[in-house]
Amino acid sequence: AKASATPIRDRESGVTTNRTVNFVISYIGKPILVGLCVAALLLVIFPDFRQQHSDTETSSMDLDRRAQGNEWTGPVSYSQAVKRAAPSVVNIYTRKTTKPSNHPLLDDPYFRRLFNNQQQRIQSSLGSGVIMQEDGFMLTNNHVIDGADQILVLLYDGREAPAIVVGKDPETDLAVLKIDAENLQPISVGEPAQAKIGDVVLAIGNPYGVGQTVTQGIVSATGRNGLGLNTFENFIQTDADINPGNSGGALVDSYGNLLGINTAILNQAGSAGIGFAIPADTAEKVLNDIISYGYVVRGWLGMDAFPLTPPIAERLNLPLSHGLLVRAIYNGSPAYLVGIQPSDVVVTINGEAVTDRQTSISQIADVTPGAPIELEIWRQGKTFTVTAVAGIRPTSPL
């Protein structure tokens, strides 16, 4: 009996052990097995989960990269923008022949022979330009080519071509040139009206004649006027370096689209980083009008006026704080035909309050000749409205 008792207990113990193992497998092992299967499936579907970073610093760097990917839209390098825009920017070289002044002593044959009065002096200057159309039309600044006898254009690929002047617009300091060459790459035009302060911009040109150069900065301001540089001013201000020779070159956005034509720097001591460009939409209008008509078509009212400032209003005892005080009216002009008189004050133009002379001049110039312009006039304590029909602004208004 004793001999058979031990095996019986062992068998019972084995049964108990098997039951325990089955219990563990049934109630604990199955969830673990299911979890492992789910984890494996997730690794197949989402490979990014395979690489886990236990290092806190590495995880923080990844978060920063992801945040930059969601919020930062600027490229790390602007080489693609330059590659896209640079072939459309040219170097311009001009030559101008000047004769010395006729001094009375030079009427004498001896002195004339001594000073060789027949010699002429050659002046050269340099600048930049932008190819706007593949048939060879390009833009530059008027002051770059003004008075030049010869204009030579150096293309991005090293080719040279003589240029002719198609037309000029001194009121915006722009000029249209034409060259005969094949395989020209016109620049892609952007939307300067959408440019925001802080946007990255690149200035491409030929500063000091060293060759094509790219400088980088941001848009510092938009709509700058009142600088006394041009009749019509609506400049994009930038801190991208613009130096002598950059005039007429391109100001492009971070994708290589043209935003403006570089035209001037603030030439004062300590004024580094203040440059100005003519918006691309203004430049395009000048280009298209000159090609189509030979001059720029602008609206015109034919009145001479100056801003009404609070000191002037107080001195004249006028109950106004803003407007344009009319000084003179041109006979037969649109303003004359609707009865506007000297000493009238133009308060609004097409419903917009008059704030400064430059803005008002540009607003009138932007009206298509033949289109109506509604003016609110103040005269001797009374306000009334007149509707004038825009005329064509003379190319050299008095």
Side-chain angles (χ1 to χ4, degrees):
K2 290 182 181 180
S4 62
T6 301
I8 293 173
R9 284 198 298 270
D10 289 342
R11 287 196 296 272
E12 292 177 349
S13 176
V15 171
T16 303
T17 301
N18 290 336
R19 288 177 179 176
T20 303
V21 171
N22 290 336
F23 175 81
V24 171
I25 293 174
S26 299
Y27 294 97
I28 299 177
K30 287 182 179 179
I32 294 175
L33 183 61
V34 171
L36 291 174
C37 292
V38 171
L41 182 62
L42 289 175
L43 289 175
V44 173
I45 298 175
F46 303 103
D48 292 343
F49 290 163
R50 296 176 185 175
Q51 185 176 2
Q52 299 294 333
H53 299 282
S54 58
D55 189 356
T56 304
E57 181 179 355
T58 303
S59 299
S60 176
M61 291 173 62
D62 288 346
L63 290 174
D64 289 342
R65 292 193 188 101
R66 291 174 185 173
Q68 289 179 359
N70 292 332
E71 299 175 6
W72 172 250
T73 57
V76 176
S77 170
Y78 302 105
S79 61
Q80 290 301 315
V82 175
K83 182 179 180 180
R84 185 183 187 195
S88 305
V89 182
V90 302
N91 300 342
I92 294 178
Y93 299 90
T94 66
R95 299 185 68 183
K96 181 179 180 181
T97 304
T98 61
K99 295 181 179 181
S101 60
N102 290 325
H103 192 277
L105 287 177
L106 297 178
D107 293 333
D108 183 274
Y110 173 78
F111 284 102
R112 186 166 59 247
R113 186 172 62 255
L114 180 64
F115 290 99
N116 194 9
N117 190 37
Q118 301 303 318
Q119 286 187 350
Q120 296 178 329
R121 185 173 57 182
I122 304 297
Q123 293 180 339
S124 61
S125 63
L126 53 91
S128 306
V130 180
I131 300 172
M132 302 297 293
Q133 297 182 8
E134 60 183 355
D135 55 0
F137 286 102
M138 61 182 61
L139 282 170
T140 187
N141 284 137
N142 180 59
H143 73 261
V144 170
I145 53 87
D146 190 36
D149 296 316
Q150 294 179 328
I151 303 173
L152 183 66
V153 171
L154 177 63
L155 300 176
Y156 181 76
D157 58 11
R159 290 181 293 166
E160 295 182 354
I164 61 171
V165 179
V166 180
K168 304 177 182 179
D169 184 42
E171 293 187 309
T172 56
D173 191 25
L174 288 171
V176 178
L177 305 181
K178 177 75 165 61
I179 63 171
D180 290 325
E182 297 180 350
N183 301 320
L184 298 177
Q185 180 175 322
I187 199 164
S188 172
V189 180
E191 299 181 2
Q194 302 301 319
K196 298 179 179 62
I197 297 174
D199 285 354
V200 172
V201 289
L202 309 171
I204 308 177
N206 180 26
Y208 298 107
V210 299
Q212 192 176 92
T213 303
V214 182
T215 55
Q216 179 260 338
I218 62 169
V219 174
S220 304
T222 58
R224 285 289 194 219
N225 58 35
L227 303 176
L229 299 175
N230 302 330
T231 302
F232 299 103
E233 297 181 342
N234 183 31
F235 294 121
I236 299 172
Q237 182 180 325
T238 178
D239 68 342
D241 288 336
I242 298 175
N243 297 295
N246 273 110
S247 293
L251 185 73
V252 303
D253 61 21
S254 56
Y255 301 99
N257 300 311
L258 180 70
L259 290 182
I261 302 294
N262 297 322
T263 188
I265 56 175
L266 189 60
N267 192 16
Q268 295 181 2
S271 62
I274 304 179
F276 303 99
I278 302 165
D281 49 1
T282 299
E284 272 199 311
K285 173 178 171 53
V286 171
L287 174 76
N288 295 330
D289 281 4
I290 286 179
I291 293 175
S292 299
Y293 311 110
Y295 61 94
V296 182
V297 179
R298 296 187 174 99
W300 182 66
L301 286 179
M303 60 183 184
D304 181 19
F306 63 92
L308 182 66
T309 61
I312 294 176
E314 183 179 356
R315 190 178 308 122
L316 298 177
N317 197 25
L318 299 177
L320 301 171
S321 59
H322 65 88
L324 289 176
L325 182 59
V326 178
R327 289 188 293 192
I329 300 293
Y330 295 102
N331 288 333
S333 68
Y336 175 86
L337 295 177
V338 295
I340 298 177
Q341 301 174 6
S343 76
D344 285 351
V345 179
V346 180
V347 181
T348 67
I349 301 175
N350 283 340
E352 297 184 15
V354 173
T355 56
D356 63 84
R357 184 174 183 271
Q358 286 285 341
T359 301
S360 297
I361 290 177
S362 297
Q363 186 180 358
I364 294 170
D366 289 339
V367 176
T368 303
I373 303 179
E374 187 178 86
L375 306 171
E376 183 180 352
I377 306 297
W378 183 92
R379 179 188 295 167
Q380 298 179 353
K382 296 181 180 180
T383 302
F384 58 94
T385 300
V386 297
T387 301
V389 177
I392 298 177
R393 182 181 176 88
T395 54
S396 298
L398 299 176

